[in-house]
mmCIF file of all heavy atoms in Angstrom:
data_model
loop_
_atom_site.group_PDB
_atom_site.id
_atom_site.type_symbol
_atom_site.label_atom_id
_atom_site.label_comp_id
_atom_site.label_asym_id
_atom_site.label_seq_id
_atom_site.Cartn_x
_atom_site.Cartn_y
_atom_site.Cartn_z
ATOM 1 N N PRO Q 1 -42.984 -14.221 38.327
ATOM 2 C CA PRO Q 1 -43.528 -14.304 36.974
ATOM 3 C C PRO Q 1 -44.946 -13.673 36.921
ATOM 4 O O PRO Q 1 -45.283 -13.052 35.845
ATOM 5 C CB PRO Q 1 -43.617 -15.821 36.767
ATOM 6 C CG PRO Q 1 -42.570 -16.381 37.665
ATOM 7 C CD PRO Q 1 -42.579 -15.539 38.847
ATOM 8 N N TYR Q 2 -45.696 -13.771 38.008
ATOM 9 C CA TYR Q 2 -47.047 -13.103 38.060
ATOM 10 C C TYR Q 2 -46.936 -11.623 37.851
ATOM 11 O O TYR Q 2 -47.670 -11.055 37.110
ATOM 12 C CB TYR Q 2 -47.626 -13.539 39.333
ATOM 13 C CG TYR Q 2 -49.008 -12.905 39.630
ATOM 14 C CD1 TYR Q 2 -50.223 -13.387 39.137
ATOM 15 C CD2 TYR Q 2 -49.020 -11.724 40.480
ATOM 16 C CE1 TYR Q 2 -51.436 -12.718 39.422
ATOM 17 C CE2 TYR Q 2 -50.252 -11.122 40.761
ATOM 18 C CZ TYR Q 2 -51.466 -11.621 40.250
ATOM 19 O OH TYR Q 2 -52.648 -10.968 40.507
ATOM 20 N N LEU Q 3 -46.062 -11.043 38.735
ATOM 21 C CA LEU Q 3 -46.094 -9.574 38.693
ATOM 22 C C LEU Q 3 -45.328 -9.043 37.464
ATOM 23 O O LEU Q 3 -45.486 -7.859 37.172
ATOM 24 C CB LEU Q 3 -45.512 -9.052 39.990
ATOM 25 C CG LEU Q 3 -44.070 -9.371 40.479
ATOM 26 C CD1 LEU Q 3 -43.083 -8.448 39.895
ATOM 27 C CD2 LEU Q 3 -44.026 -9.287 41.996
ATOM 28 N N LEU Q 4 -44.518 -9.833 36.829
ATOM 29 C CA LEU Q 4 -43.751 -9.422 35.616
ATOM 30 C C LEU Q 4 -44.676 -9.628 34.319
ATOM 31 O O LEU Q 4 -44.267 -9.199 33.302
ATOM 32 C CB LEU Q 4 -42.477 -10.190 35.453
ATOM 33 C CG LEU Q 4 -41.313 -9.753 36.388
ATOM 34 C CD1 LEU Q 4 -40.152 -10.706 36.348
ATOM 35 C CD2 LEU Q 4 -40.828 -8.331 35.990
ATOM 36 N N GLY Q 5 -45.773 -10.262 34.496
ATOM 37 C CA GLY Q 5 -46.624 -10.550 33.373
ATOM 38 C C GLY Q 5 -46.113 -11.624 32.422
ATOM 39 O O GLY Q 5 -46.327 -11.649 31.210
ATOM 40 N N ASP Q 6 -45.417 -12.634 33.029
ATOM 41 C CA ASP Q 6 -44.904 -13.802 32.245
ATOM 42 C C ASP Q 6 -46.116 -14.497 31.561
ATOM 43 O O ASP Q 6 -47.094 -14.863 32.123
ATOM 44 C CB ASP Q 6 -44.165 -14.757 33.205
ATOM 45 C CG ASP Q 6 -43.413 -15.828 32.480
ATOM 46 O OD1 ASP Q 6 -43.932 -16.425 31.528
ATOM 47 O OD2 ASP Q 6 -42.229 -16.080 32.905
ATOM 48 N N PRO Q 7 -46.046 -14.640 30.238
ATOM 49 C CA PRO Q 7 -47.114 -15.307 29.443
ATOM 50 C C PRO Q 7 -47.423 -16.736 29.937
ATOM 51 O O PRO Q 7 -48.567 -17.298 29.579
ATOM 52 C CB PRO Q 7 -46.700 -15.134 27.989
ATOM 53 C CG PRO Q 7 -45.185 -15.055 28.072
ATOM 54 C CD PRO Q 7 -44.838 -14.285 29.332
ATOM 55 N N ARG Q 8 -46.499 -17.390 30.537
ATOM 56 C CA ARG Q 8 -46.707 -18.755 31.007
ATOM 57 C C ARG Q 8 -47.676 -18.834 32.230
ATOM 58 O O ARG Q 8 -48.147 -19.895 32.611
ATOM 59 C CB ARG Q 8 -45.407 -19.448 31.302
ATOM 60 C CG ARG Q 8 -44.594 -19.636 30.099
ATOM 61 C CD ARG Q 8 -43.100 -20.075 30.472
ATOM 62 N NE ARG Q 8 -42.417 -18.999 31.081
ATOM 63 C CZ ARG Q 8 -41.131 -19.014 31.406
ATOM 64 N NH1 ARG Q 8 -40.442 -20.164 31.159
ATOM 65 N NH2 ARG Q 8 -40.532 -18.006 31.988
ATOM 66 N N VAL Q 9 -47.905 -17.656 32.827
ATOM 67 C CA VAL Q 9 -48.687 -17.668 34.053
ATOM 68 C C VAL Q 9 -50.170 -17.808 33.716
ATOM 69 O O VAL Q 9 -50.713 -17.000 32.890
ATOM 70 C CB VAL Q 9 -48.495 -16.384 34.864
ATOM 71 C CG1 VAL Q 9 -49.545 -16.110 35.934
ATOM 72 C CG2 VAL Q 9 -47.069 -16.339 35.488
ATOM 73 N N ARG Q 10 -50.802 -18.759 34.280
ATOM 74 C CA ARG Q 10 -52.273 -18.949 34.130
ATOM 75 C C ARG Q 10 -52.974 -18.916 35.433
ATOM 76 O O ARG Q 10 -54.072 -19.529 35.622
ATOM 77 C CB ARG Q 10 -52.505 -20.389 33.419
ATOM 78 C CG ARG Q 10 -51.936 -20.481 32.039
ATOM 79 C CD ARG Q 10 -52.665 -19.618 31.065
ATOM 80 N NE ARG Q 10 -52.211 -19.787 29.697
ATOM 81 C CZ ARG Q 10 -51.228 -19.068 29.091
ATOM 82 N NH1 ARG Q 10 -50.575 -18.092 29.830
ATOM 83 N NH2 ARG Q 10 -50.803 -19.289 27.941
ATOM 84 N N TYR Q 11 -52.321 -18.394 36.465
ATOM 85 C CA TYR Q 11 -52.954 -18.248 37.758
ATOM 86 C C TYR Q 11 -53.203 -16.862 38.217
ATOM 87 O O TYR Q 11 -52.520 -15.967 37.806
ATOM 88 C CB TYR Q 11 -52.074 -19.034 38.817
ATOM 89 C CG TYR Q 11 -50.554 -18.699 38.792
ATOM 90 C CD1 TYR Q 11 -50.050 -17.663 39.703
ATOM 91 C CD2 TYR Q 11 -49.692 -19.420 37.991
ATOM 92 C CE1 TYR Q 11 -48.730 -17.345 39.667
ATOM 93 C CE2 TYR Q 11 -48.348 -19.028 38.002
ATOM 94 C CZ TYR Q 11 -47.908 -18.054 38.769
ATOM 95 O OH TYR Q 11 -46.526 -17.700 38.820
ATOM 96 N N GLU Q 12 -54.116 -16.727 39.166
ATOM 97 C CA GLU Q 12 -54.543 -15.419 39.592
ATOM 98 C C GLU Q 12 -54.533 -15.515 41.206
ATOM 99 O O GLU Q 12 -55.392 -16.139 41.753
ATOM 100 C CB GLU Q 12 -55.875 -15.018 39.156
ATOM 101 C CG GLU Q 12 -56.436 -13.737 39.664
ATOM 102 C CD GLU Q 12 -55.426 -12.618 39.624
ATOM 103 O OE1 GLU Q 12 -55.103 -12.181 38.484
ATOM 104 O OE2 GLU Q 12 -54.980 -12.106 40.708
ATOM 105 N N TYR Q 13 -53.586 -14.797 41.767
ATOM 106 C CA TYR Q 13 -53.444 -14.806 43.261
ATOM 107 C C TYR Q 13 -54.775 -14.320 43.951
ATOM 108 O O TYR Q 13 -55.029 -14.814 44.978
ATOM 109 C CB TYR Q 13 -52.252 -13.949 43.729
ATOM 110 C CG TYR Q 13 -50.980 -14.700 43.747
ATOM 111 C CD1 TYR Q 13 -50.024 -14.440 42.713
ATOM 112 C CD2 TYR Q 13 -50.676 -15.530 44.770
ATOM 113 C CE1 TYR Q 13 -48.760 -15.165 42.749
ATOM 114 C CE2 TYR Q 13 -49.456 -16.188 44.807
ATOM 115 C CZ TYR Q 13 -48.456 -15.956 43.849
ATOM 116 O OH TYR Q 13 -47.271 -16.607 43.867
ATOM 117 N N ASN Q 14 -55.397 -13.489 43.354
ATOM 118 C CA ASN Q 14 -56.586 -12.825 43.994
ATOM 119 C C ASN Q 14 -57.780 -13.837 44.048
ATOM 120 O O ASN Q 14 -58.730 -13.546 44.763
ATOM 121 C CB ASN Q 14 -57.041 -11.525 43.218
ATOM 122 C CG ASN Q 14 -56.071 -10.415 43.387
ATOM 123 O OD1 ASN Q 14 -55.510 -10.266 44.422
ATOM 124 N ND2 ASN Q 14 -55.822 -9.709 42.285
ATOM 125 N N ASP Q 15 -57.639 -14.969 43.338
ATOM 126 C CA ASP Q 15 -58.739 -16.017 43.452
ATOM 127 C C ASP Q 15 -58.449 -16.905 44.663
ATOM 128 O O ASP Q 15 -59.368 -17.662 44.995
ATOM 129 C CB ASP Q 15 -58.709 -16.832 42.187
ATOM 130 C CG ASP Q 15 -59.124 -16.134 40.910
ATOM 131 O OD1 ASP Q 15 -59.762 -15.023 41.163
ATOM 132 O OD2 ASP Q 15 -58.834 -16.614 39.809
ATOM 133 N N TRP Q 16 -57.248 -16.893 45.188
ATOM 134 C CA TRP Q 16 -56.886 -17.802 46.218
ATOM 135 C C TRP Q 16 -57.114 -17.191 47.577
ATOM 136 O O TRP Q 16 -57.271 -16.000 47.717
ATOM 137 C CB TRP Q 16 -55.371 -18.259 46.135
ATOM 138 C CG TRP Q 16 -55.023 -18.747 44.781
ATOM 139 C CD1 TRP Q 16 -55.882 -19.188 43.751
ATOM 140 C CD2 TRP Q 16 -53.721 -19.041 44.311
ATOM 141 N NE1 TRP Q 16 -55.142 -19.673 42.671
ATOM 142 C CE2 TRP Q 16 -53.786 -19.552 43.015
ATOM 143 C CE3 TRP Q 16 -52.454 -18.812 44.829
ATOM 144 C CZ2 TRP Q 16 -52.676 -19.908 42.181
ATOM 145 C CZ3 TRP Q 16 -51.336 -19.178 43.992
ATOM 146 C CH2 TRP Q 16 -51.454 -19.673 42.731
ATOM 147 N N ASN Q 17 -57.189 -18.062 48.588
ATOM 148 C CA ASN Q 17 -57.362 -17.596 49.971
ATOM 149 C C ASN Q 17 -56.058 -17.864 50.858
ATOM 150 O O ASN Q 17 -55.710 -18.915 51.197
ATOM 151 C CB ASN Q 17 -58.514 -18.440 50.612
ATOM 152 C CG ASN Q 17 -59.793 -18.320 49.852
ATOM 153 O OD1 ASN Q 17 -60.515 -17.288 49.918
ATOM 154 N ND2 ASN Q 17 -60.141 -19.323 49.116
ATOM 155 N N ALA Q 18 -55.383 -16.786 51.101
ATOM 156 C CA ALA Q 18 -54.145 -16.738 51.888
ATOM 157 C C ALA Q 18 -54.492 -16.956 53.345
ATOM 158 O O ALA Q 18 -55.293 -16.194 53.876
ATOM 159 C CB ALA Q 18 -53.395 -15.475 51.708
ATOM 160 N N VAL Q 19 -53.873 -17.982 53.997
ATOM 161 C CA VAL Q 19 -54.146 -18.255 55.372
ATOM 162 C C VAL Q 19 -52.922 -18.072 56.256
ATOM 163 O O VAL Q 19 -53.044 -17.952 57.506
ATOM 164 C CB VAL Q 19 -54.777 -19.610 55.589
ATOM 165 C CG1 VAL Q 19 -56.280 -19.699 55.071
ATOM 166 C CG2 VAL Q 19 -53.905 -20.755 54.909
ATOM 167 N N MET Q 20 -51.755 -18.041 55.635
ATOM 168 C CA MET Q 20 -50.523 -17.856 56.332
ATOM 169 C C MET Q 20 -49.456 -17.259 55.375
ATOM 170 O O MET Q 20 -49.456 -17.672 54.194
ATOM 171 C CB MET Q 20 -49.977 -19.084 56.957
ATOM 172 C CG MET Q 20 -48.837 -18.935 57.885
ATOM 173 S SD MET Q 20 -47.229 -19.104 57.069
ATOM 174 C CE MET Q 20 -47.054 -20.970 56.895
ATOM 175 N N ALA Q 21 -48.661 -16.302 55.855
ATOM 176 C CA ALA Q 21 -47.620 -15.831 55.055
ATOM 177 C C ALA Q 21 -46.406 -15.582 56.041
ATOM 178 O O ALA Q 21 -46.520 -15.299 57.147
ATOM 179 C CB ALA Q 21 -47.965 -14.460 54.434
ATOM 180 N N SER Q 22 -45.181 -15.894 55.516
ATOM 181 C CA SER Q 22 -43.999 -15.672 56.324
ATOM 182 C C SER Q 22 -42.913 -15.107 55.440
ATOM 183 O O SER Q 22 -42.753 -15.300 54.233
ATOM 184 C CB SER Q 22 -43.543 -16.991 56.943
ATOM 185 O OG SER Q 22 -43.220 -17.973 55.984
ATOM 186 N N GLY Q 23 -42.079 -14.358 56.115
ATOM 187 C CA GLY Q 23 -40.897 -13.770 55.475
ATOM 188 C C GLY Q 23 -39.687 -14.756 55.531
ATOM 189 O O GLY Q 23 -39.725 -15.702 56.261
ATOM 190 N N THR Q 24 -38.767 -14.398 54.852
ATOM 191 C CA THR Q 24 -37.469 -15.138 54.860
ATOM 192 C C THR Q 24 -36.317 -14.272 54.435
ATOM 193 O O THR Q 24 -36.520 -13.098 54.174
ATOM 194 C CB THR Q 24 -37.556 -16.426 54.010
ATOM 195 O OG1 THR Q 24 -36.440 -17.301 54.262
ATOM 196 C CG2 THR Q 24 -37.590 -16.029 52.526
ATOM 197 N N GLY Q 25 -35.183 -14.840 54.394
ATOM 198 C CA GLY Q 25 -34.042 -14.042 53.964
ATOM 199 C C GLY Q 25 -33.235 -14.928 52.895
ATOM 200 O O GLY Q 25 -33.724 -15.970 52.528
ATOM 201 N N GLY Q 26 -32.054 -14.442 52.512
ATOM 202 C CA GLY Q 26 -31.284 -15.220 51.616
ATOM 203 C C GLY Q 26 -29.839 -14.967 51.791
ATOM 204 O O GLY Q 26 -29.462 -13.892 52.238
ATOM 205 N N VAL Q 27 -29.027 -16.000 51.631
ATOM 206 C CA VAL Q 27 -27.534 -15.835 51.826
ATOM 207 C C VAL Q 27 -26.837 -16.311 50.522
ATOM 208 O O VAL Q 27 -27.080 -17.451 50.059
ATOM 209 C CB VAL Q 27 -27.016 -16.788 52.986
ATOM 210 C CG1 VAL Q 27 -25.596 -16.516 53.256
ATOM 211 C CG2 VAL Q 27 -27.839 -16.364 54.272
ATOM 212 N N ALA Q 28 -26.004 -15.458 50.030
ATOM 213 C CA ALA Q 28 -25.112 -15.836 48.907
ATOM 214 C C ALA Q 28 -23.751 -16.259 49.392
ATOM 215 O O ALA Q 28 -23.253 -15.683 50.357
ATOM 216 C CB ALA Q 28 -24.974 -14.588 47.995
ATOM 217 N N TYR Q 29 -23.203 -17.222 48.790
ATOM 218 C CA TYR Q 29 -21.903 -17.752 49.265
ATOM 219 C C TYR Q 29 -21.028 -18.211 48.087
ATOM 220 O O TYR Q 29 -21.490 -18.473 46.968
ATOM 221 C CB TYR Q 29 -22.063 -18.892 50.333
ATOM 222 C CG TYR Q 29 -23.026 -20.043 49.890
ATOM 223 C CD1 TYR Q 29 -22.501 -21.195 49.307
ATOM 224 C CD2 TYR Q 29 -24.359 -19.940 50.060
ATOM 225 C CE1 TYR Q 29 -23.263 -22.265 49.024
ATOM 226 C CE2 TYR Q 29 -25.200 -20.961 49.678
ATOM 227 C CZ TYR Q 29 -24.667 -22.144 49.129
ATOM 228 O OH TYR Q 29 -25.517 -23.155 48.799
ATOM 229 N N LEU Q 30 -19.751 -18.311 48.329
ATOM 230 C CA LEU Q 30 -18.730 -18.628 47.361
ATOM 231 C C LEU Q 30 -18.018 -19.877 47.722
ATOM 232 O O LEU Q 30 -18.002 -20.322 48.904
ATOM 233 C CB LEU Q 30 -17.689 -17.515 47.370
ATOM 234 C CG LEU Q 30 -18.251 -16.062 47.142
ATOM 235 C CD1 LEU Q 30 -17.109 -15.077 47.613
ATOM 236 C CD2 LEU Q 30 -18.635 -15.771 45.705
ATOM 237 N N ASN Q 31 -17.347 -20.520 46.760
ATOM 238 C CA ASN Q 31 -16.504 -21.707 47.070
ATOM 239 C C ASN Q 31 -15.280 -21.217 47.846
ATOM 240 O O ASN Q 31 -14.945 -20.002 47.881
ATOM 241 C CB ASN Q 31 -16.139 -22.504 45.870
ATOM 242 C CG ASN Q 31 -15.331 -21.727 44.821
ATOM 243 O OD1 ASN Q 31 -14.644 -20.704 45.167
ATOM 244 N ND2 ASN Q 31 -15.331 -22.194 43.593
ATOM 245 N N ALA Q 32 -14.559 -22.112 48.473
ATOM 246 C CA ALA Q 32 -13.505 -21.733 49.375
ATOM 247 C C ALA Q 32 -12.403 -20.967 48.622
ATOM 248 O O ALA Q 32 -11.817 -20.012 49.131
ATOM 249 C CB ALA Q 32 -12.914 -22.900 50.025
#
């Protein structure tokens, strides 16, 4: 929402102090 310019966003990442970041993945799955 931040990078899309969502009007509901009232936060600014550049004001915050990042101390840790981690990647992840995602899995899509179907019913049997």
Side-chain angles (χ1 to χ4, degrees):
Y2 172 85
L3 60 86
L4 284 169
D6 191 315
R8 293 169 291 186
V9 168
R10 298 289 184 270
Y11 50 92
E12 175 49 65
Y13 273 104
N14 293 321
D15 292 343
W16 306 346
N17 300 287
V19 289
M20 187 269 281
S22 61
T24 190
V27 183
Y29 53 96
L30 309 160
N31 63 22

